Amino acid sequence: MVVRVDDQAYAYRNECLHQASPLAGGLVKNGVITCPLHFWRYDATTGVKCGEPELRLDSYPVRLESGTVLVEMPEPAPVRSMRETMLDHAREWDRGDG
């Protein structure tokens, strides 16, 4: 998600810290991003949750070239098979027998 404050652009993962709901479609006003589902608010220039400085949105480097906003995105996580996913889940599952 890219937002503009004055003449600067900022890029964040399109995911609210509350319940991982999308931030896109939320309100950006007076330098504050407001989640459209549960109304959590973030400073649009830092990604910090209003009133809770220890919580911050994942951000990405941004640069402007000839009027175009370019965002440096991380490499996507490798695709895992269903078998790998299920085995990891089984390793972490507390069976209550210990």
Side-chain angles (χ1 to χ4, degrees):
M1 176 186 78
V2 177
V3 297
R4 181 177 153 188
V5 177
D6 298 323
D7 290 331
Q8 187 66 26
Y10 303 88
Y12 300 103
R13 179 188 304 271
N14 184 26
E15 189 173 278
C16 180
L17 299 176
H18 178 220
Q19 291 185 341
S21 57
L23 287 170
L27 180 66
V28 179
K29 185 176 180 181
N30 297 326
V32 175
I33 302 166
T34 303
C35 175
L37 294 180
H38 301 106
F39 309 110
W40 278 36
R41 297 164 32 103
Y42 303 91
D43 183 307
T45 63
T46 64
V48 171
K49 183 177 182 294
C50 296
E52 296 185 56
E54 67 279 2
L55 297 177
R56 179 186 304 264
L57 297 170
D58 290 340
S59 62
Y60 306 107
V62 172
R63 69 180 191 278
L64 299 173
E65 283 186 13
S66 304
T68 301
V69 177
L70 301 172
V71 180
E72 186 179 321
M73 299 295 295
E75 291 294 322
V79 177
R80 299 177 56 207
S81 71
M82 179 60 77
R83 180 179 184 277
E84 292 170 314
T85 301
M86 296 302 289
L87 285 171
D88 283 348
H89 178 72
R91 285 184 200 103
E92 296 171 4
W93 184 40
D94 180 10
R95 294 175 188 84
D97 56 352

